[in-house]
Amino acid sequence: MCATAAGAAVLGLLVPLAGCGSGAGADGTTLRLVAAEYGDGPGTGSKAFWDKMCGDFAAQHPGVKVEVTLLPWADIDREVSKMVKAGKAPDMALMGAYSDFAADGKLYSAEELLSVNAEANFLAPLAEAGSVGNTLYGLPFVASSRLLFYNQSLFTKAGVGAPRTWSDLKSAAKALKDKGVKFPYALPLGPEEAHAEAMIWELSNGGGYADSSGNYSLASDQNVQTFRWIKDNLVTPGLLGPVPPAQLNRQDAFDAFVRGEVGMLNGYPSLLHEARAKGMSVGTVTMPVNDTLGNGETPPAVGVADWMMAFKQNGHREQIGRFLDFVYQDKNLSDFANRYHLLPSTISASRTPAGGGLDKGDEQFLTALRGAQLYPVNDPTWVTVSDTIKRNIGHAVDPSGDPKGVLEAIAQKARESSKQR
């Protein structure tokens, strides 16, 4: 995710897949899809899924050929942007950002591609995040939400229970440290996916990246307070482990968790499956909240989605619509989601027998996703702003850092990006 929820860069090269059918379609149409690679090796690569989709689609629609190219997550947003700027846009792309293309008028809307029922089938938070104004351009494909994971064995040894508030989390981290746990709480604010961890903490204090009007609120009083609390209560007492947060990447934190070196961290479904497959006993709770939030309020979880989009350049609206209708069938969408322990983006694929339903361990993430808050991906500056957050937010909790100064510098970069649009 986005840095999406389970995206992993694999081959550092383009991976073209065989197109569907023999030669161009009978109506002379060849569709090109550029998609992110979700696997981390040949055994888990996305090629098998797209080969099957192309073959099955060709059998039902012999008039259209589809060619799929897989790109690593680290490259795909940049490479597709290059294609578009060079006048060689693919017909479709599956990646982490869409809004800059929508703002430039380069995408078909969902209304132009899908039936009314298909468009209404997307989970509400995902449809909202995929819309610019009231028009859906980013079709959510797979998604995830974040919960706090804790190693139940380490918690039992430390004599602590699942935290509900920030003070609970601090107390648990201290008890874990006293028992020799390497990372009492793993805080990955390194450049891989710092924007996810930062937003989780901000929401738990009533803050976040945007206000109720959708405008950036990156340096709000709540956000500054959040990072000051982390610095004073977790960094200074040494409750985060041997790696400074600004240098700890998500995957490194996840690997340490599976090795049994982490007491607590925020995670998503695939990590839970991996840990339990190794025999770990893992508990999950919603992110603990600031003790002063009051009224038993439960802030939204962070939700992350990946986006399918369709470009106007080649004029293949009807054929694209047919292919997307096919890919978004419950059985197909669920097949892809289940391969990577992600959540399908539609209501029916999550619930119906045709969609296969959800693994019981994933149901809690779907519940969280229904009320989740996603990144402000419908702002065309988000790609730039999120990169700025990823590279800088960790310094807000440096021992000698200034949380307010770091957040204000990020906010200034966001303002500059908005002026350049």
Side-chain angles (χ1 to χ4, degrees):
M1 218 177 276
C2 30
T4 65
V10 284
L11 308 170
L13 302 168
L14 279 69
V15 184
L17 306 188
C20 308
S22 55
D27 66 357
T29 301
T30 298
L31 299 178
R32 293 189 302 123
L33 166 64
V34 178
E37 170 60 81
Y38 284 71
D40 57 6
T44 60
S46 303
K47 182 178 187 300
F49 173 82
W50 291 113
D51 280 349
K52 185 175 188 304
M53 286 301 98
C54 284
D56 291 350
F57 179 75
Q60 298 180 28
H61 303 273
V64 182
K65 177 185 177 183
V66 181
E67 294 179 347
V68 182
T69 299
L70 296 177
L71 290 175
W73 273 107
D75 301 334
I76 187 167
D77 285 10
R78 179 180 65 254
E79 292 301 322
V80 170
S81 294
K82 287 181 180 178
M83 294 175 196
V84 173
K85 288 178 182 178
K88 298 179 180 179
D91 294 286
M92 297 163 285
L94 172 59
M95 49 194 270
Y98 73 89
S99 58
D100 50 344
F101 302 128
D104 292 338
K106 296 185 181 298
L107 301 180
Y108 288 117
S109 67
E111 184 179 6
E112 295 173 291
L113 299 167
L114 305 175
S115 67
V116 173
N117 289 339
E119 185 177 355
N121 195 24
F122 293 117
L123 292 165
L126 305 184
E128 180 179 350
S131 297
V132 176
N134 295 317
T135 303
L136 180 64
Y137 289 102
L139 310 184
F141 192 65
V142 286
S144 67
S145 61
R146 305 298 170 91
L147 296 173
L148 183 75
F149 289 25
Y150 61 96
N151 184 316
Q152 290 181 319
S153 297
L154 296 180
F155 265 55
T156 298
K157 291 177 183 177
V160 292
R164 301 291 178 183
T165 65
W166 284 2
S167 60
D168 291 343
L169 188 149
K170 179 182 178 181
S171 296
K174 185 178 185 305
L176 290 162
K177 181 184 179 182
D178 290 344
K179 290 295 182 180
V181 175
K182 186 174 182 179
F183 294 89
Y185 179 89
L187 184 72
L189 292 179
E192 180 185 355
E193 205 191 30
H195 59 307
E197 183 73 15
M199 185 172 170
I200 291 168
W201 276 93
E202 290 174 358
L203 291 177
S204 72
N205 192 31
Y209 288 145
D211 60 25
S212 58
S213 300
N215 300 311
Y216 285 123
S217 56
L218 299 164
S220 67
D221 290 343
Q222 296 103 312
N223 292 349
V224 172
Q225 180 191 39
T226 295
F227 287 96
R228 281 183 176 153
W229 188 93
I230 294 171
K231 179 182 175 183
D232 293 343
N233 291 275
L234 298 180
V235 175
T236 299
L239 301 180
L240 300 179
V243 182
Q247 297 175 29
L248 182 64
N249 279 317
R250 179 202 62 191
Q251 191 58 53
D252 294 330
F254 282 10
D255 291 345
F257 183 77
V258 174
R259 291 195 302 266
E261 298 173 352
V262 175
M264 300 173 277
L265 87 174
N266 286 297
Y268 46 65
S270 61
L271 177 62
L272 183 61
H273 284 268
E274 182 181 357
R276 289 181 173 171
K278 291 185 177 294
M280 293 180 64
S281 180
V282 180
T284 56
V285 292
T286 57
M287 177 65 188
V289 299
N290 186 338
D291 302 62
T292 64
L293 209 54
N295 300 321
E297 181 181 348
T298 301
V302 166
V304 180
D306 302 327
W307 309 99
M308 182 75 78
M309 63 211 73
F311 291 89
K312 293 179 177 179
Q313 180 179 304
N314 302 312
H316 295 151
R317 182 186 64 81
E318 180 184 353
Q319 295 90 341
I320 293 171
R322 275 188 268 162
F323 183 68
L324 293 180
D325 275 337
F326 178 78
V327 171
Y328 275 92
Q329 289 177 13
D330 289 346
K331 66 180 187 302
N332 296 332
L333 190 59
S334 285
D335 178 20
F336 189 88
N338 291 339
R339 285 170 185 257
Y340 301 106
H341 299 297
L342 295 168
L343 304 175
S345 60
T346 64
I347 297 167
S348 58
S350 304
R351 296 179 176 174
T352 67
L358 283 179
D359 181 286
K360 281 197 171 183
D362 293 341
E363 289 177 359
Q364 60 190 321
F365 294 96
L366 178 63
T367 298
L369 182 64
R370 290 192 179 111
Q373 185 169 321
L374 280 75
Y375 308 132
V377 290
N378 43 15
D379 189 306
T381 66
W382 173 244
V383 172
T384 300
V385 171
S386 63
D387 185 66
T388 302
I389 293 170
K390 285 188 285 188
R391 297 181 186 281
N392 295 280
I393 196 69
H395 299 301
V397 298
D398 284 345
S400 60
D402 171 20
K404 183 177 177 65
V406 170
L407 291 176
E408 287 182 341
I410 293 171
Q412 177 61 30
K413 179 68 174 179
R415 289 190 290 271
E416 293 171 0
S417 297
S418 296
K419 290 177 181 179
Q420 293 170 5
R421 287 295 307 176

